[in-house]
Structure formats: C-alpha cells, structure tokens
Amino acid sequence: MRPLANGHPVSPPTGRPGHAEPAHPLEWPVYDDGVAARVTELITRGRTFDYDYGSELAELERSFAERHGRTHALALTSGTAGLLAAYFALGVGPGDEVIVPDLTFFSTASPLFLLGAVPVLCDAGDASGNVDPAAVEALVGPRTVAIAVTHLWGHSCDMDALRAVASRHGLALVEDCSHAHGSTFRSRPVGSMGDIAVFSVGGRKLVSGGMGGMLLTDSEDVFARACLLTNFRHRTDLTIDAARYEPFLLTGLGGNFRISTPGAVLAQSHLDRLDELVERRVTNMSALSAGLGRLPGVRPSPVADGVTMGAWYDGVVEVTPECPFSRDELVAAGQARGLKVRAPATRPLHVFPLFQGAAPDWSPQVAAAVRAAAAVNDRPFPRSAELFARWMKLPVNFLWEENSPLVGAYLDAFDDAFSMARTA
Ligand SMILES: Cc1ncc(COP(=O)(O)O)c(C=O)c1O
C-alpha cells in the first residue's frame, strides 16, 4: 500500500514535469468503520455463512424489495447468478430466443447459453448506448420468449416503450440494473419496472457486498423457481409457500448461489446510504461530464428526459471526430497526466468469440445455442461499434467523496492537454 497524504494514497510521479498528478482516494467500494466492526463480529462468532434465513439476509432482501416497491427479493452470489436464475425462473430453454443489448456486460446474455437458449443482439440506439425499443421490436420472431435490457452506465432505458413492446408480443421483460443503482425513469426506480430485475451487488458497484447479486420480482412463481435454483433447505422451505414446489424444497434444483453473511452486511451498509452516495456521485459526475463537454469534440453522455442518474457505473464521455485527439490519444494524454481514464471494459458482445460461434465441444446443449446465436447475430452492429470506439471511461470509482477535488483537477489536466494540442 502506498503512503497516505491527507487520507489519499500518493500516486507515483508522471512524465509531465511541473504538473502535479491528482491524488486519488481509495477506489470504490469503500466501507465505514461501523460495518467493518460488524463484519469482524460476524467472523468472531463464526457467522460467515447462512444455510437458513438469518436476519442479515432477510434484512438485505427486505430493504431491496421495499426500496423498489417489489414483493420478492432474492440475495445471491452475483449479478450473473441472478441473471441465470431469472432466465431459469422464466422457463427459458433450448432454442428459445431472448433479445439482449449488444452493448452490455456479457453476463446479461451469457447465462442463456447454459440453458441452451439463444441471445439475439440488438444494436445500440441513442448516444447513451441503450437499445431503441423500435429496434428491439424489429428483432421479435417466433422463438422470442423474453427481452432483457441493461440500463447502460446508469441511463434508464425507456421502460414504458419496452413494456409496450413486451405486452404486444406476450414477452417477459428483464431489467439488468447492475450499472444503475438509484437511477429512475419517470420517477420510478430502475428495478421496479421489469417482470424481473437483477442487480449486481458486487465488485465496484455502488452497492457492493464484495460479491453479490439481487433478483427482484412481484411473481411468487418466479421467486420460488429462482430460489430453488440457487438454494436448498432450509432457505427454500423457510421462504417458499406454494405446495407445487414442495418436492424440491430439500434438494433445490442444482445450485447453491447464496450471498455470504458478511457480504450481505457490507451490501446493506451501502444500501442504507444509497441516496447520499448517489447524490455525491451524480454531483461529481455531472460536473465532470459537463466540464469536459465544453472541450471541442467531447460529448457528455446525454441524460434523456424523465431519467435521473444513479450509480453512473463506468460512466463515459464520447470523443467525436471534431476533437483534436482521437479517443486513444485523449486517453493517453490523460494518463500521462496521472488521470485514471481509459477505454471502457464493457465492450459490444458481438466482438467476443463466445458470441461469434466459439462453441464448447464438451457440452452439446451449450454448443448448439452458441452456434445458433452466431448465425442469428451474423450482421453488423454499427452504432455499438462506433460508440465503443469513441467512449472514454471517467474515473467514476474515485468520485465518491462530497464535492470531489478530482473534478477540478481532471478539468485542469484536460485543459492543459487541449492547450498543448493547440500550440503544437
Ligand atoms: C450490466 C452488468 N450485468 C451483469 C453483471 C454481472 O455482475 P456480477 O459481476 O455481480 O456477476 C455486471 C458486472 O459488471 C454488469 O455490469
């Protein structure tokens, strides 16, 4: 660990003499002393796991359900497990198609392969990177059973238009809310609008239990089936009522994907402060994006009418052809000044071998789904490709302090880079 200066780790010097590199605070997730003490206490008491349904799990699920106005919540090991459980609970199976965004983290789609189902990729729509409901509808075919959308970088999709598409075609609607803790659409929280909503509650997400996920639904059947995939006794018989699931309560249906007790407590500590965390992040990210937007050819990610931003996970700005730098040059200029900017890690799914037909030869069901997906997705995705090539990721994980001094430091550093480009 590098030494701390005023609570901030000291960064190594950069290649720009005379220019101090901004001091970054610890990278999110950050936890307070109170929760550290609670986790220590759990460890001391050996309460590091929960095969039943103890107060920590129950409290996290109750808080998530309440915050999103949902009837059921299921805490899991990861967002990926939540998405697998969502598709399993909907009964998605071999040969079924689910329309998913091309621009998302691959877990929105990859669990479908495990079920033998086929992700049908939808190109990005507007400059936020989200899918356009009309483009989603154009992909509906006889095998389509569901639509899954991601609220990319925290921008809520147009959930009313997507709900209308889903209803017209009798499809289930799944929201992947992993980027968007605390975002809203027309005053409704993301996570409250799909038939199923899934949040990653792990890694660098704004609500993070280290590793974790959360599935929300109002359907008792969806909840029971998701719970049976991800748990066995006693969690199952403590929380599933319907008699039809009785034969499966002891064994579950093949998975054990429950969150750890310390993980639940860590996630709870963020959820309890979510409004404050969102306010800080939104204030910092709005100021940074708007400030960068004053530079030639740098375009902040547009926030649609009726949308409020929450976590702004992995938030980006677009570097357009009017900019004197290419995206990669601008990233390099920022990095040379000690800035933590880069191309986003979340890339279009159509570029991955798994989505281009690389089929595992030891699993015929997965292989068939992978090959079917490669065939159905053998078309261009111009909008996703263009946006991905232009996006520069901002240091969102460091912008968790109130009125972060990093905002001004980053704007000064980019001003310096642009003025050097002008004089060069
Ligand atoms: C949009 C999206 N969906 C799903 C996931 C998967 O979540 P996890 O890492 O908790 O499995 C992520 C993780 O980054 C994500 O960004």
Side-chain angles (χ1 to χ4, degrees):
M1 182 74 170
R2 284 174 268 144
L4 295 180
N6 300 327
H8 294 76
V10 176
S11 308
T14 65
R16 294 251 318 131
H19 284 266
E21 166 181 332
H24 291 80
L26 293 173
E27 189 168 13
W28 194 260
V30 175
Y31 301 98
D32 61 32
D33 292 345
V35 73
R38 274 206 73 197
V39 169
T40 305
E41 190 213 327
L42 286 172
I43 293 168
T44 310
R45 288 166 44 216
R47 284 192 42 75
T48 47
F49 64 91
D50 184 357
Y51 279 115
D52 297 321
Y53 190 52
S55 58
E56 295 84 6
L57 262 66
E59 169 68 1
L60 183 65
E61 292 182 355
R62 192 196 55 72
S63 316
F64 250 95
E66 196 173 283
R67 187 176 175 101
H68 298 90
R70 309 295 313 231
T71 316
H72 301 285
L74 183 64
L76 299 165
T77 38
S78 67
T80 307
L83 287 151
L84 175 63
Y87 297 134
F88 175 81
L90 289 172
V92 175
D96 288 341
E97 292 183 357
V98 176
I99 300 169
V100 299
D102 184 39
L103 271 178
T104 182
F105 185 70
F106 47 77
S107 291
T108 314
S110 51
L112 290 166
F113 292 128
L114 210 50
L115 300 170
V118 179
V120 176
L121 306 181
C122 184
D123 199 6
D126 65 23
S128 72
N130 277 340
V131 290
D132 169 12
V136 169
E137 187 158 28
L139 292 169
V140 175
R143 291 167 185 253
T144 312
V145 296
I147 299 167
V149 294
T150 299
H151 305 299
L152 197 69
W153 319 131
H155 296 276
S156 174
C157 296
D158 182 343
M159 292 304 285
D160 288 339
L162 286 160
R163 170 57 71 194
V165 173
S167 302
R168 268 198 292 281
H169 299 277
L171 305 173
L173 182 58
V174 176
E175 296 175 79
D176 183 343
C177 307
S178 300
H179 289 186
H181 299 259
S183 294
T184 67
F185 177 69
R186 297 185 182 150
S187 306
R188 288 164 283 162
V190 306
S192 68
M193 296 172 278
D195 297 301
I196 308 181
V198 173
F199 289 82
S200 168
V201 183
R204 304 202 179 281
K205 308 304 178 327
L206 196 54
V207 176
S208 179
M211 281 278 134
M214 186 64 70
L215 182 151
L216 302 177
T217 184
D218 296 329
S219 158
E220 194 172 344
D221 280 319
V222 164
F223 169 74
R225 295 168 191 178
C227 192
L228 286 171
L229 178 69
T230 55
N231 287 265
F232 42 78
R233 207 167 148 195
H234 289 291
R235 165 74 212 245
T236 42
D237 52 25
L238 288 171
T239 56
I240 296 175
D241 282 336
R244 64 187 293 206
Y245 299 115
E246 214 275 323
F248 313 113
L249 295 183
L250 172 58
T251 54
L253 287 168
N256 178 8
F257 302 147
R258 58 193 106 196
I259 198 167
S260 72
T261 315
V265 166
L266 291 173
Q268 183 79 50
S269 75
H270 288 159
L271 190 66
D272 288 344
R273 298 171 53 210
L274 186 57
D275 292 335
E276 176 203 346
L277 297 178
V278 163
E279 195 192 323
R280 288 182 182 192
R281 190 169 274 193
V282 168
T283 303
N284 291 330
M285 281 293 283
S286 304
L288 180 57
S289 322
L292 292 174
R294 286 194 272 274
L295 298 168
V298 180
R299 190 184 293 161
S301 224
V303 181
D305 286 348
V307 171
T308 67
M309 297 296 279
W312 217 315
Y313 180 76
D314 263 7
V316 296
V317 288
E318 188 180 340
V319 183
T320 71
E322 290 73 51
C323 182
F325 297 95
S326 69
R327 189 276 308 273
D328 290 345
E329 288 167 348
L330 192 59
V331 165
Q335 289 179 348
R337 289 164 176 77
L339 310 187
K340 296 186 188 293
V341 288
R342 58 178 169 82
T346 298
R347 62 195 64 178
L349 303 194
H350 74 267
V351 306
F352 290 102
L354 183 62
F355 292 85
Q356 294 176 341
D361 59 10
W362 63 94
S363 174
Q365 173 163 303
V366 175
V370 167
R371 289 198 196 95
V376 84
N377 295 313
D378 186 14
R379 53 199 155 83
F381 296 90
R383 192 69 182 126
S384 307
E386 178 185 53
L387 286 171
F388 178 65
R390 290 182 173 186
W391 273 332
M392 178 175 76
K393 184 183 154 196
L394 301 179
V396 58
N397 298 329
F398 298 93
L399 293 175
W400 51 269
E401 296 174 302
E402 201 171 356
N403 297 317
S404 170
L406 281 182
V407 173
Y410 271 60
L411 293 177
D412 287 350
F414 278 116
D415 276 346
D416 176 57
F418 275 73
S419 62
M420 283 191 57
R422 271 192 292 274
T423 55

